[in-house]
């Protein structure tokens, strides 16, 4: 069993897409084992995306991710990291495969509706980052 972090981003929450995105997760067989709506402060969004420090898109990404509520969750299942990434599709919706969440819902490469961890170590770090919100400790 593997766990991965899911975020439904502000663009998708604002367009009432939370239920449809969660339905795709559940229909895939992945289990939603933690779930919470939160509104990140800019400094929290910057800390979450610190791996992108120095990239030209970071300031805009931080402003976007703190612009409204997001839904944070932990998904569990065999090979959960890869399966959630397959459901999401490529970062850039213009390059995402047919039937993926980003192909169907994302507005552009920044406002791309969802986030998922990219590897086991990242998943552990990202779940730990949101642990307090998700009731995992404290
Ligand atoms: P995400 O998978 O959450 O990881 C980093 C985020 O930065 C990405 O999705 C997009 O929301 C955003 N982003 C904006 N521009 C780019 C870009 N050129 N390359 C990668 N990510 C970008």
């Amino acid at each position: 069993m593997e766990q991965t972090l899911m975020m439904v981003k502000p663009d998708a929450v604002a367009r009432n897409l939370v239920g449809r995105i969660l339905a795709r997760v559940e229909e895939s067989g992945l289990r939603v084992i933690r779930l919470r709506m939160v509104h990140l402060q800019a400094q929290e969004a910057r800390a979450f995306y610190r791996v992108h420090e120095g990239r030209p898109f970071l300031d805009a990404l931080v402003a976007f991710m703190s612009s409204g509520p997001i839904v944070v969750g932990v998904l569990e299942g065999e090979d959960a990291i890869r399966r959630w990434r397959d459901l999401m599709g490529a970062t850039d919706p213009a390059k995402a495969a047919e039937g993926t969440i980003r192909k169907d819902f994302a507005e552009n490469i920044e406002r791309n509706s969802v986030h998922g961890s990219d590897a086991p170590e990242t998943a552990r770090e990202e779940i730990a980052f949101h642990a307090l919100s998700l009731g995992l400790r404290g």
Side-chain angles (χ1 to χ4, degrees):
M1 278 298 180
E2 191 172 66
Q3 294 182 355
T4 191
L5 186 86
M6 170 196 76
M7 294 194 294
V8 181
K9 298 186 180 184
D11 67 292
V13 174
R15 286 178 291 138
N16 277 356
L17 294 169
V18 173
R20 286 157 79 182
I21 289 170
L22 289 175
R24 291 189 185 203
V25 171
E26 294 189 331
E27 284 158 7
S28 80
L30 287 169
R31 293 198 66 79
V32 181
I33 63 163
R34 294 276 163 176
L35 196 65
R36 181 94 182 254
M37 183 174 277
V38 300
H39 191 148
L40 297 178
Q41 295 178 3
Q43 64 187 39
E44 294 174 306
R46 188 170 292 276
F48 182 85
Y49 281 116
R50 62 195 177 281
V51 35
H52 294 301
E53 200 60 60
R55 304 282 287 278
F57 59 79
L58 182 64
D59 285 354
L61 174 64
V62 167
F64 162 57
M65 287 299 293
S66 55
S67 67
I70 65 171
V71 173
V72 182
V74 178
L75 310 183
E76 186 176 82
E78 205 170 303
D79 211 11
I81 293 171
R82 183 193 58 76
R83 285 164 64 195
W84 173 227
R85 291 179 71 79
D86 287 352
L87 284 175
M88 290 193 299
T91 305
D92 182 354
K95 296 178 182 154
E98 293 295 330
T100 61
I101 291 168
R102 284 166 169 163
K103 176 72 176 184
D104 291 344
F105 300 136
E107 296 181 334
N108 55 49
I109 194 170
E110 175 186 278
R111 302 173 67 87
N112 64 356
S113 300
V114 282
H115 169 86
S117 311
D118 63 5
E121 183 56 28
T122 328
R124 271 189 291 278
E125 286 175 17
E126 292 183 351
I127 291 167
F129 182 93
H130 286 292
L132 269 178
S133 299
L134 294 168
L136 292 169
R137 64 168 138 75

